[in-house]
């Protein structure tokens, strides 16, 4: 009997030991699967694990660089643990209203992150690198997720980078160690493109077929990259959406602003490193005061940008873009460029308006050319209403024509132009940024502008996102379902109109835009006369 008890006890102990070994093996196997699997990619810097998002694989918040204040980006430190990339990384430091954001949401040290959407890690698809709007002052890549566009047989990447005073304070006249401080925000973007060059094969992308695209300030960033020698060869096509506001920073202006910032902070050149320790909110506020006291502040909606934005230095940036074109180093890059019908113009669709009322509203801007403006408008848009006369874009389209004319004539690569004329049922307008939900094919993310998407809306989103992806594939946006879209010249004026019914128009508004340019850009003319 005693032997039987010993036998049963020994068997029980053996079973426990075996179970423990089995559990340990299961845990090891589970851990190993977690470190591999279809959502894990091993980059040179470390392993990242993504997540599924609406039919694509998403890898969010991957670090691509580390930064020190006012210094060019540096290689990111390698990590040994599995990085879970299923949530947005921190946005760049900027002024926000409402609650205070956590370090995980907004960071100075850790905001150089990017996001990748793909559908096949083993493919070799064209890559589309998205640069968010917000001027050079604010914004985040989280505004425009790329999961639906990635389903158009491309890999989508979006980027966070340093902005405002942290990205563009020129301290080069004070110390050699700050030689590139005026452009570190754009050098961050270059670092992101270098990350794409090195890593994107691991996510199913082709590093030799990269398209940069952006809207508003993001379009300005695309134009800036076309003038940056460090970015040459890192991208092969470019899409500029509502981005032709002119940045007029000169080296003299940015150095003057940098000196004014130091003066506001009470820091002299001998102790310039103290600026590294100034709290961000205090630094930003000093920057705004310094701008007012030196080069002047800019009103939003005016045709020029200056202050904390890129500055030509002959090395990292050869020239400002759109003046009227881009640096010769990018002559072989095909460009698609366009605007929306209303953009940032104040709208007059909320109430009835007669032609005489429109004429009265136009008089302060166009003076003796008011009737000529109305006549040119009717020629360009025969079905327009009096409200349209005062609600059309006066900011982006005229300079887009000037830039398109110049680059189509002077560059080797082709140019394609468009206008987005779909109107929101909420505002009856085609406003700044309204095209984004169409080219990203994310109408379901825009309930405030489009509470209920119609079949026509969905079809337009499918067409536009397909055209954007096709341009990334070949440098030519022609697809089935659109009329033939020929490259632009000043003579043919070919412009694709995106609306429920897409059509090609030829120089429909050249005379109108010449009048707008004459009367709405006097501030710019005065600047160049100085």
């Amino acid at each position: 009997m005693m032997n039987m008890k010993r036998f049963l006890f020994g068997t029980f102990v053996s079973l426990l030991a075996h179970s423990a070994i089995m559990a340990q093996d299961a845990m090891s196997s589970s851990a190993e699967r977690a470190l591999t699997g279809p959502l894990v990619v091993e980059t040179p810097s470390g392993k990242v694990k993504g997540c599924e998002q609406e039919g694509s694989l998403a890898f969010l918040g991957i670090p691509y660089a580390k930064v020190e204040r006012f210094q060019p980006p540096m290689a990111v430190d390698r990590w040994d643990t599995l990085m879970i990339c299923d949530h947005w990384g921190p946005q760049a430091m900027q002024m926000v209203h409402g609650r205070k954001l956590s370090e995980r949401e907004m960071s100075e040290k850790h905001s150089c992150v990017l996001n990748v959407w793909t559908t096949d890690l083993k493919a070799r698809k064209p890559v589309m690198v998205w640069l968010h709007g917000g001027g050079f002052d604010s914004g985040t890549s989280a505004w425009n997720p790329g999961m639906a566009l990635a389903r158009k047989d491309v890999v989508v990447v979006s980027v966070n980078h340093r902005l405002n005073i942290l990205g563009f304070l020129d301290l080069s006249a004070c110390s050699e160690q700050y030689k590139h401080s005026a452009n570190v925000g754009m050098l961050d973007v270059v670092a992101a493109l270098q990350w794409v060059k090195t890593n994107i094969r691991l996510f199913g992308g082709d590093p030799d077929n990269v398209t940069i695209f952006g809207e508003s300030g993001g379009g300005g960033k695309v134009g800036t990259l076309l003038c940056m020698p460090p970015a040459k060869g890192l991208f092969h096509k470019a899409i500029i959406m509502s981005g032709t506001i002119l940045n007029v920073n000169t080296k003299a202006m940015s150095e003057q602003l940098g000196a004014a910032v130091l003066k506001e902070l009470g820091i002299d050149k001998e102790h310039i490193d103290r600026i590294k320790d100034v709290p961000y909110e205090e630094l930003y506020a000093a920057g705004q005061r310094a701008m007012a006291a030196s080069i002047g502040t800019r009103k939003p909606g005016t045709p020029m940008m200056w202050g904390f934005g890129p500055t030509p230095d002959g090395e990292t940036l050869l020239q400002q873009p759109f003046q009227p074109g881009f640096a010769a180093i990018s002559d072989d890059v095909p460009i698609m460029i366009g605007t929306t019908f209303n953009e940032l113009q104040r709208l007059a669709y909320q109430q009835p308006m007669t032609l005489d009322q429109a004429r009265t509203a136009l008089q302060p801007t166009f003076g003796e050319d008011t009737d000529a403006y109305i006549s040119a408008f009717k020629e360009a848009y025969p079905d327009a209403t009096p409200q349209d006369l005062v609600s059309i874009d006066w900011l982006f389209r005229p300079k887009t024509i000037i830039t398109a004319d110049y680059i189509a004539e002077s560059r080797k690569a082709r140019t394609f132009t468009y206008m987005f004329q779909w109107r929101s049922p909420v505002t009856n307008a085609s406003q700044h940024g309204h095209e984004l939900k169409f080219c990203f094919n994310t109408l379901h993310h825009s309930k405030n502008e489009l509470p209920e998407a119609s079949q026509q809306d969905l079809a337009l989103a499918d067409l536009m996102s397909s055209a954007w992806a096709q341009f990334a594939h070949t440098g030519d946006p022609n697809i089935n379902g659109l009329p033939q879209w020929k490259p632009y010249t000043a003579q043919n004026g070919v412009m694709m109109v995106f609306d429920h019914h897409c059509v090609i128009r030829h120089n429909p508004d050249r005379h109108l835009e010449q009048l707008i340019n004459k009367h709405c850009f006097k501030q710019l003319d005065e600047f160049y006369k100085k």
Side-chain angles (χ1 to χ4, degrees), residues 81-142:
T81 57
L82 179 66
M83 182 176 291
I84 305 301
C85 294
D86 61 356
H87 57 278
W88 298 112
Q91 68 184 32
M93 298 299 293
Q94 54 198 274
M95 297 309 293
V96 294
H97 302 289
R99 69 180 180 87
K100 186 176 177 62
L101 299 183
S102 68
E103 177 73 10
R104 176 171 168 164
E105 295 169 296
M106 185 170 73
S107 171
E108 179 172 344
K109 290 280 191 179
H110 305 294
S111 64
C112 281
V113 295
L114 52 76
N115 316 295
V116 181
W117 291 269
T118 183
T119 58
D120 185 354
L121 298 177
K122 299 186 182 302
R124 196 172 172 86
K125 300 182 181 186
V127 182
M128 301 186 72
V129 178
W130 172 250
L131 303 176
H132 67 73
F136 294 93
D137 184 71
S138 60
T140 168
S141 61

Side-chain angles (χ1 to χ4, degrees), residues 309-329:
T311 298
D313 60 3
E315 185 177 346
T316 60
L317 179 60
L318 298 178
Q319 66 171 74
Q320 293 292 5
F322 313 114
Q323 301 190 32
F326 310 105
I329 58 171

Side-chain angles (χ1 to χ4, degrees), residues 159-209:
V159 179
N160 283 356
H161 62 94
R162 281 175 287 181
L163 300 165
N164 53 72
I165 195 168
L166 291 178
F168 302 101
L169 175 61
D170 189 354
L171 299 173
S172 60
C174 305
S175 172
E176 179 68 18
Q177 67 172 311
Y178 296 109
K179 179 181 179 181
H180 298 301
S181 64
N183 290 316
V184 293
M186 287 305 303
L187 290 174
D188 289 349
V189 180
V190 173
L193 291 171
Q194 290 169 334
W195 184 97
V196 168
K197 184 76 172 177
T198 301
N199 294 277
I200 207 63
R201 281 190 181 91
L202 303 170
F203 297 85
D206 182 357
D208 297 319
N209 190 3

Side-chain angles (χ1 to χ4, degrees), residues 93-95 100 106 278-286 289:
M93 298 299 293
Q94 54 198 274
M95 297 309 293
K100 186 176 177 62
M106 185 170 73
V278 177
Y280 173 74
E281 290 79 5
E282 183 180 337
L283 181 69
Y284 188 95
R289 295 194 305 272

Side-chain angles (χ1 to χ4, degrees), residues 42-47 63-64 75-81 195 199:
E42 185 167 4
T43 76
S45 299
K47 288 186 176 182
Y64 66 84
V76 69
D77 293 330
R78 179 174 172 78
W79 58 89
D80 296 323
T81 57
W195 184 97
N199 294 277

